[in-house]
Amino acid sequence: MPADNPVKVSVIIPAFNEVESLPELMDRITTVLTDYASENYDIWVIDDGSSDGTAGEMERLVTQYPSLNYVRFRRNYGKAAALMEGFRRVRGEYVITMDADLQDDPEEIPELVEMLENGTDLVSGWKKVRHDPLSKRLPSKLFNAVTRWTTGINIHDFNCGLKAYRKNVVKDLNIHGELHRYIPVMAHFLGYSIGEKVVQHHPRQYGKTKYGVARFFRGFFDFITVLFLSKYTKRPMHFFGMGGLIMTGLGLGINLYLAIYWFMGGSLSNRPLLFLAVLLVIVGVQLFSIGLLGEMLAYQERGRDKPQIREIIE
C-alpha cells in the first residue's frame, strides 16, 4: 500500500515457525478487513527467525495480498522485539496484534476497533474459555491474579495475544525481553485507559506451542522489572530509601540495646548480634546512597520526559 494512503486498521502478527497457519490466517484476516475497512488497512507479519519455510510461504502470500507486508529477522529475538518492529512500522489509526497460530479469531477485529472508537485506548482480549492444557491454564490464572492484585488493573488476561490499540499507544510503548506480557500494565502507567473484551480461543491446529517451563521464571523476573520501572523510575529514593531506612533503623536500634547492655556491665565479646547491627547500618547507608544516585540520574531525565497530553482545546 502506498505510504501516502490513509490506513484505518493495521494488524501486526509475530510469527515463529507457523508456516502451516499463515495461508488460512491471511485469507481470514483479509476477508474480515475487506468487508470492514474496504482497502483501508495493512497487515504486517514479523517473522521472528523462523526455520520452517515461513519465508518462502510469505514471499508467495505477499504477491497474493497487496496489503500484506513481511519483515524477516535474521534470528529469533523474541515476541517483544517482533511487536516493537511492528509498532515502529504501522501507520493505522487503530492497531491490532494477534498470534499466528489460528487460536485468535480475526472476526473479533471489528468489535475491538469499535471499543477503541468509543474512547478506550487499549483493549485486551480475554480468553474466558481457553483451549490449552491444564499445565498452561493454571499458571496463567495465577499470573493474571497476582498482576491484577498488585497493579490494580481489573482485567483477566494480561498476556492474550489479541489486543487493540490506538496508534499513539503503540508509538509510546517501549518493550523488550519478555515484557510483552505486561503491555496493559505499561500502558496503564503511561496514563492510557485499559478495556477488556471476551474473545474466542480456538484449539491449536498446527505445530506446537513455543513456550516452555522457563517462561514462568522469566515472567516472574519481568514482573518485578515492570513494577519497578513503572512505579519507581522517576522516584528511586522511594524504593531504595525505604529499604535503607528500615535496615539503618534496625541496626541503630540493636546498637542502642547493646550499648545499654555494655554500660550495665555486660560483655560484647561473644555477641554476634553486634556484627549483625553493624552490617544492617552499612547496608542501610548503601541503599540510601544508591537512592540518591538514582535521584540524580532521574533528575537529568525529567527534562526529557514530557507529560502525555490527552487533548488540547484552544
Side-chain angles (χ1 to χ4, degrees):
M1 179 178 291
D4 56 348
N5 282 3
V7 177
K8 180 177 181 180
V9 180
S10 291
V11 180
I12 302 172
I13 305 168
F16 179 61
N17 291 343
E18 300 286 359
V19 64
E20 297 99 339
S21 303
L22 289 169
E24 180 180 344
L25 181 61
M26 292 304 106
D27 180 65
R28 291 174 59 185
I29 291 177
T30 53
T31 298
V32 170
L33 290 179
T34 300
D35 291 341
Y36 177 70
S38 185
E39 297 299 320
N40 199 16
Y41 67 90
D42 60 4
I43 304 168
W44 291 85
V45 173
I46 313 298
D47 181 357
D48 190 20
S50 296
S51 57
D52 66 343
T54 293
E57 183 63 30
M58 285 305 305
E59 289 174 4
R60 183 186 70 82
L61 291 171
V62 165
T63 63
Q64 182 179 350
Y65 299 102
S67 296
L68 177 58
N69 305 273
Y70 176 56
V71 177
R72 183 185 182 190
F73 289 169
R74 292 185 182 274
R75 63 173 177 84
N76 180 252
Y77 287 91
K79 188 173 182 178
L83 287 173
M84 281 302 297
E85 184 65 23
F87 290 164
R88 185 176 71 84
R89 293 179 178 273
V90 293
R91 297 180 292 111
E93 181 182 358
Y94 305 113
V95 179
I96 305 293
T97 60
M98 61 191 310
D99 294 334
D101 54 13
L102 292 175
Q103 291 192 274
D104 296 330
D105 197 333
E107 283 73 22
E108 307 275 4
I109 292 176
E111 292 187 13
L112 289 168
V113 174
E114 183 180 352
M115 292 182 67
L116 297 178
E117 291 176 329
N118 289 335
T120 308
D121 294 317
L122 186 157
V123 181
S124 184
W126 174 17
K127 297 171 287 191
K128 192 172 184 179
V129 178
R130 185 170 177 177
H131 299 281
D132 281 326
L134 192 64
S135 60
K136 287 185 67 175
R137 297 200 309 269
L138 285 181
S140 179
K141 284 183 177 294
L142 176 62
F143 157 79
N144 285 305
V146 171
T147 306
R148 187 165 55 248
W149 176 68
T150 53
T151 63
I153 304 173
N154 191 28
I155 63 175
H156 297 82
D157 195 350
F158 288 84
N159 194 29
C160 179
L162 183 57
K163 290 183 172 66
Y165 315 73
R166 291 177 178 271
K167 182 180 179 180
N168 54 327
V169 179
V170 303
K171 298 303 181 181
D172 284 341
L173 286 172
N174 183 14
I175 57 175
H176 59 274
E178 305 284 335
L179 294 183
H180 58 275
R181 298 185 180 95
Y182 301 99
I183 284 178
V185 179
M186 300 179 77
H188 171 75
F189 284 115
L190 285 173
Y192 291 110
S193 60
I194 312 298
E196 183 176 56
K197 180 186 181 299
V198 176
V199 296
Q200 287 188 313
H201 185 246
H202 300 283
R204 174 179 278 274
Q205 298 183 34
Y206 308 102
K208 59 182 180 179
T209 181
K210 310 303 187 297
Y211 300 103
V213 176
R215 76 187 183 105
F216 300 120
F217 296 99
R218 294 196 299 266
F220 171 73
F221 294 126
D222 288 329
F223 178 66
I224 296 174
T225 299
V226 76
L227 280 183
F228 181 81
L229 292 178
S230 299
K231 291 188 174 183
Y232 298 107
T233 299
K234 302 298 185 295
R235 45 193 179 100
M237 193 62 175
H238 288 212
F239 179 81
F240 293 105
M242 181 59 68
L245 180 64
I246 292 172
M247 290 193 176
T248 303
L250 285 173
L252 291 176
I254 294 172
N255 278 326
L256 178 61
Y257 160 74
L258 292 175
I260 295 172
Y261 177 77
W262 181 74
F263 277 116
M264 295 178 64
S267 173
L268 301 181
S269 59
N270 60 344
R271 299 301 298 270
L273 197 60
L274 175 63
F275 297 99
L276 175 62
V278 173
L279 177 63
L280 287 172
V281 172
I282 292 174
V283 172
V285 171
Q286 288 179 330
L287 287 175
F288 265 109
S289 301
I290 293 173
L292 288 172
L293 289 173
E295 286 289 341
M296 292 171 65
L297 294 173
Y299 178 79
Q300 293 179 339
E301 291 294 324
R302 282 179 189 131
R304 307 172 196 168
D305 182 27
K306 296 181 180 180
Q308 300 294 320
I309 298 175
R310 181 185 297 272
E311 184 181 16
I312 298 176
I313 300 176
E314 295 181 345

